[in-house]
Amino acid sequence: MPKLKTNKGAAKRFRLTSNGRVKRKKAFKSHILTKKSPKRKRALRKTALINKRDEKNIRRLIPYK
């Protein structure tokens, strides 16, 4: 069976935790930051976990991570 190709776009966006869950960055932190409160911007810095339903599809994109 041939080797699987990693989706490079997904590889840059997702990481695995030590327990095997998939981490992601939060959206809406790149521009138009003046109208967002400091509390909201601080919360957007943190990483989040992918929803369980999406995990199977994301894992298929990053098979060797």
Side-chain angles (χ1 to χ4, degrees):
M1 198 166 135
K3 290 194 281 186
L4 300 171
K5 280 199 171 182
T6 297
N7 180 300
K8 288 306 191 176
K12 293 167 192 172
R13 287 171 171 82
F14 303 109
R15 299 272 180 268
L16 292 180
T17 63
S18 56
N19 290 334
R21 298 286 310 270
V22 183
K23 286 192 301 189
R24 66 174 175 85
K25 292 278 258 181
K26 289 189 178 175
F28 307 109
K29 183 67 171 70
S30 57
H31 61 101
I32 315 177
L33 297 172
T34 51
K35 63 174 79 169
K36 294 171 188 159
S37 70
K39 181 179 178 181
R40 183 173 165 195
K41 288 187 276 191
R42 204 163 45 242
L44 290 172
R45 269 187 231 147
K46 298 178 177 145
T47 57
L49 292 175
I50 290 289
N51 195 305
K52 275 282 197 192
R53 290 183 180 137
D54 301 324
E55 227 168 86
K56 186 179 173 186
N57 292 329
I58 298 300
R59 282 177 174 287
R60 197 172 290 146
L61 297 175
I62 49 170
Y64 301 111
K65 278 229 160 199

